[in-house]
Amino acid sequence: QFLTTEVFALNCLWAIVLLCVLSRAVSSGQVRLYVLSSFLFGLSLGNQHTLILLLPGFAAILLIAMLNGTVKPAQLLTLG
């Protein structure tokens, strides 16, 4: 029997880490955590592309943070 790589456990780990970092970013309001969650999201897409389904939720959270004034677009570009 051939050896196969299991990507689903790592996919779940990425999803949990992303949700934890993003929830910490929302509760603390730190721009660096928003940037970190974006970076981790990009890395997680290298493992399995199904995490793209989390993108609308992440975009909505980031949009709400921008509308509340917690995050400014210029801060995201300059890493806070």
Side-chain angles (χ1 to χ4, degrees):
Q1 198 177 60
F2 292 103
L3 293 175
T4 60
T5 28
E6 182 65 40
V7 294
F8 298 110
L10 187 57
N11 190 30
C12 290
L13 177 68
W14 276 116
I16 290 170
V17 168
L18 285 169
L19 291 174
C20 287
V21 170
L22 196 60
S23 68
R24 172 89 39 117
V26 168
S27 65
S28 69
Q30 292 182 357
V31 176
R32 291 192 183 270
L33 290 176
Y34 284 104
V35 173
L36 178 64
S37 66
S38 299
F39 176 72
L40 291 176
F41 182 72
L43 282 180
S44 69
L45 289 177
N47 176 49
Q48 192 175 14
H49 65 280
T50 57
L51 283 172
I52 196 81
L53 298 173
L54 295 176
L55 185 62
F58 287 147
I61 290 173
L62 189 58
L63 182 65
I64 290 170
M66 285 181 178
L67 292 175
N68 288 340
T70 307
V71 176
K72 296 181 179 90
Q75 288 178 323
L76 291 176
L77 294 175
T78 60
L79 299 179

